[in-house]
Amino acid sequence: MSDRRRPDGATEPDPRATSGAIGRRLPRTGTEPVTAQSPLRLRLLLSAVFLPLFVAGAAFFGVWAADTGPGDSPGRGTLVALAAVCAAFVLLAAADLMVVTGRLRRERGAPARH
């Protein structure tokens, strides 16, 4: 980890060299407001709404692709690709849902589940 020298000669750790541990806060470096907060509740709402929609989309396109014959339009490859994109968004929304609920739980001071 590299150190930077302050004008008084003391050293302080370089914020870019931190380990990136979860929950670690870096010192403010920009002009953002002191009271700025992440819109966790909005992220929670969006993840909760779109997760079932993407699950339904992945299932719909998957079943449609399985039922497609040769020469049908759209082709099986296109439908499989759409199902895969929906499945990727399912994973993304589920991961975001877990991250947001963990952060909200930590903000409330509730004990973390392991």
Side-chain angles (χ1 to χ4, degrees):
M1 184 158 72
S2 64
D3 292 329
R4 292 186 296 174
R5 295 233 178 250
R6 293 190 310 209
D8 62 0
T11 59
E12 62 184 45
D14 185 3
R16 292 171 291 180
T18 58
S19 65
I22 295 174
R24 179 170 289 178
R25 301 282 184 195
L26 297 176
R28 292 186 56 218
T29 58
T31 58
E32 70 275 4
V34 176
T35 58
Q37 294 182 357
S38 174
L40 292 178
R41 298 217 186 277
L42 177 62
R43 282 177 56 189
L44 181 70
L45 175 68
L46 290 173
S47 293
V49 167
F50 283 102
L51 180 67
L53 291 176
F54 288 131
V55 168
F60 174 75
F61 289 121
V63 169
W64 189 5
D67 204 27
T68 301
D72 285 349
S73 182
R76 180 174 300 216
T78 302
L79 295 172
V80 167
L82 287 171
V85 167
C86 286
F89 281 132
V90 165
L91 294 175
L92 185 68
D96 192 47
L97 200 58
M98 290 178 8
V99 167
V100 169
T101 54
R103 285 185 184 172
L104 286 173
R105 192 175 297 123
R106 245 182 283 130
E107 282 182 4
R108 289 188 201 125
R113 295 182 186 173
H114 293 283

